[in-house]
Amino acid sequence: MVSSCEIPLVAATPAHICPFDQACSYLEQAAKELNLDRGLLELLRHPRKVITVSIPVKRDNGEVEVLAGHRVQHCDILGPYKGGTRYHPAVTLKEVSALAMLMTWKCALVGLPYGGAKGGIAIDPKLYSVGELERITRRYTTELIKDIGPSEDIPAPDMGTSAREMAWMMDTYSMNVGHAVPGVVTGKPISIGGSRGREMATGRGTTIVVREALADIGKSLAGARIAIQGFGNVGAAAALLMHQAGAKIIAVSTSSGGVYSDIGLDIPDLKDYAAQNHKSIVGYPDAVPITNADLLTLPCDVLVPAALENQITEKNAHEVEARIVAEAANGPVTLEANEILADRGIMVLPDILANAGGVVVSYLEWVQGLSYVFWDEDRVNRELELLMVQAYRQVMQQSEQRHIPLRLAAYTLGVGRVAQALQDRGLYP
């Protein structure tokens, strides 16, 4: 087995925060609350399989570059592994291991028959041509061919990847087995078995839990002042859906900077502006420039970190002025910052709940692909609504019954369900 300190660190993480150790800390808190046996805790701490593969790629100029690709399969007690594949320069084995563990708890929390996995390659996709990215993706898939499949491990898009990469992965796998296998990945184009509603799913899930949380404190989305860090797939979807519900999106940002308007931004117009400016929102008229750091400390009803991990730390947590923080990104609040926000009475909707909409609709896509019966978007959204509201209510109930913060409540539910399944199945051999 591989302990938390034995998984090699490929590159330094932001602010020297180890994502795997942080994930283990949350697991240990849940295990203590649940009074889990120490041996059971050790089983849940370790990923079942850690895979690193070599990816040689011929660049367009004829040079050969060798990349390292990772896939970590954490736990398959509840069902096949499920998790995204990200292309980002900051990808490390420890980060991927942490995200795989979080996927296990996330799937269990929302009631999906999946275990957690995660994959990634440490590249900046903007520095590669479409042809190079296709060759990288196809070789990465080929190297993992024995470890993925509709009953083994089902990849999905993540940071730096999209339906395009999933189509390449599906085609590569299908060509190797000799027939089309739509269930091998999710987040595919609709033309080859993708699900309607998948593109907006994570942002829609965040919107649903924010709506429910606001209702619990006597407010509604209509008129709520919301700041969103990140205007990629998740942040832009959440911004649009919240805007359509009547919320005032007072600020959004990307890695290159953000914009602020006290009366609220016109999100459809801002999306059009970003589409015409290579995804940048810098320079958007009728708004004031704002930095990512300043956005996090704006007075607002809801702050939605939808970008990278470790954005709210012990250095800036005291300056957060939101009533609710909804973690649309994975791990945007550090362990220390989480305690500070809790002490200040700020409600934190944890990532394993707030961004679970994506894996819910991935599950619905997988079900459609296995049955070859496909649904309209209204049905997909209804199923998503049902599962997200149910998970939110269960977390709130757990929090109230145990008198614990929402994050710990979410973890006790997710970890507890996996632990119970492990006890019921027993230890082989």
Side-chain angles (χ1 to χ4, degrees):
M1 290 185 177
V2 183
S3 71
S4 61
C5 62
E6 291 169 339
I7 293 179
L9 184 62
V10 178
T13 55
H16 305 290
I17 296 169
C18 175
F20 189 77
D21 290 344
Q22 183 162 303
C24 287
S25 179
Y26 288 136
L27 168 61
E28 288 170 1
Q29 290 177 30
K32 182 178 180 181
E33 180 68 26
L34 294 166
N35 196 29
L36 292 185
D37 176 78
R38 189 70 192 177
L40 187 57
L41 171 60
E42 286 303 303
L43 281 173
L44 297 176
R45 184 199 303 272
H46 300 297
R48 182 172 179 184
K49 187 181 289 188
V50 178
I51 307 160
T52 296
V53 299
S54 178
I55 306 170
V57 57
K58 181 175 285 188
R59 302 295 299 266
D60 291 341
N61 62 8
E63 294 181 358
V64 174
E65 181 179 2
V66 181
L67 306 170
H70 307 295
R71 187 75 181 173
V72 175
Q73 298 171 335
H74 175 255
C75 176
D76 65 348
I77 293 298
L78 296 179
Y81 301 106
K82 186 79 186 77
T85 298
R86 62 173 50 185
Y87 293 174
H88 191 275
V91 165
T92 68
L93 192 52
K94 277 201 170 183
E95 178 195 53
V96 173
S97 299
L99 294 173
M101 181 187 290
L102 295 183
M103 278 297 298
T104 298
W105 318 138
K106 183 185 299 184
C107 292
L109 174 62
V110 293
L112 304 183
Y114 284 146
K118 207 73 171 185
I121 305 172
I123 59 170
D124 182 349
K126 295 191 293 291
L127 302 181
Y128 293 80
S129 70
V130 173
E132 290 169 339
L133 289 172
E134 180 174 359
R135 293 193 289 275
I136 290 169
T137 303
R138 288 185 181 277
R139 183 58 183 257
Y140 174 63
T141 306
T142 301
E143 294 293 338
L144 295 176
I145 207 77
K146 295 180 181 179
D147 296 294
I148 62 174
S151 299
E152 291 81 30
D153 185 352
I154 307 133
D158 201 278
M159 189 181 302
T161 60
S162 66
R164 179 184 66 183
E165 283 75 17
M166 295 306 103
W168 293 333
M169 292 189 81
M170 177 207 162
D171 183 68
T172 303
Y173 184 88
S174 298
M175 293 300 292
N176 273 269
V177 300
H179 58 88
V181 186
V184 67
V185 297
T186 59
K188 306 178 296 297
I190 290 175
S191 63
I192 55 173
S195 176
R196 288 172 172 81
R198 177 61 181 84
E199 185 177 354
M200 300 283 284
T202 306
R204 189 178 297 277
T206 301
T207 302
I208 290 169
V209 296
V210 166
R211 181 197 69 202
E212 295 297 303
L214 284 169
D216 281 348
I217 61 172
K219 296 181 72 69
S220 71
L221 268 175
R225 295 170 61 83
I226 298 175
I228 301 177
Q229 185 200 44
F231 203 59
N233 182 50
V234 177
L240 180 61
L241 292 167
M242 292 178 185
H243 174 80
Q244 291 173 346
K248 287 185 178 180
I249 312 301
I250 60 171
V252 300
S253 65
T254 66
S255 58
S256 56
V259 290
Y260 167 84
S261 172
D262 189 62
I263 62 173
L265 297 161
D266 183 338
I267 298 301
D269 188 60
L270 182 60
K271 286 192 69 176
D272 290 342
Y273 179 88
Q276 297 168 13
N277 289 272
H278 307 288
K279 299 184 179 181
S280 174
I281 58 175
V282 175
Y284 178 70
D286 302 321
V288 177
I290 191 172
T291 67
N292 270 290
D294 288 340
L295 181 145
L296 295 173
T297 60
L298 286 174
C300 57
D301 294 305
V302 183
L303 171 63
V304 183
L308 291 170
E309 64 274 5
N310 302 329
Q311 297 302 296
I312 301 176
T313 69
E314 66 274 15
K315 295 181 179 179
N316 61 1
H318 292 288
E319 302 174 34
V320 172
E321 295 190 46
R323 295 186 66 181
I324 297 171
V325 174
E327 294 185 325
N330 288 308
V333 179
T334 67
L335 192 65
E336 296 81 2
N338 186 68
E339 295 177 359
I340 294 170
L341 296 179
D343 290 342
R344 296 182 59 211
I346 296 173
M347 179 189 293
V348 178
L349 299 172
D351 50 6
I352 64 170
L353 172 65
N355 68 23
V359 72
V360 168
V361 177
S362 278
Y363 165 69
L364 300 177
E365 178 181 335
W366 180 67
V367 168
Q368 294 171 75
L370 292 178
S371 65
Y372 289 88
V373 176
F374 297 91
W375 309 337
D376 61 28
E377 188 168 348
D378 285 343
R379 178 173 177 182
V380 172
N381 290 341
R382 287 197 306 271
E383 298 284 350
L384 171 62
E385 171 92 12
L386 178 66
L387 288 172
M388 292 302 299
V389 172
Q390 175 180 275
Y392 173 81
R393 288 296 164 206
Q394 289 173 345
V395 170
M396 290 300 294
Q397 183 180 33
Q398 184 84 331
S399 174
E400 292 166 1
Q401 288 179 347
R402 290 182 175 271
H403 305 290
I404 55 178
L406 293 183
R407 188 186 304 280
L408 183 54
Y411 272 81
T412 56
L413 285 170
V415 172
R417 289 168 182 170
V418 176
Q420 184 62 55
L422 181 57
Q423 290 175 315
D424 290 342
R425 286 183 56 168
L427 187 62
Y428 177 86

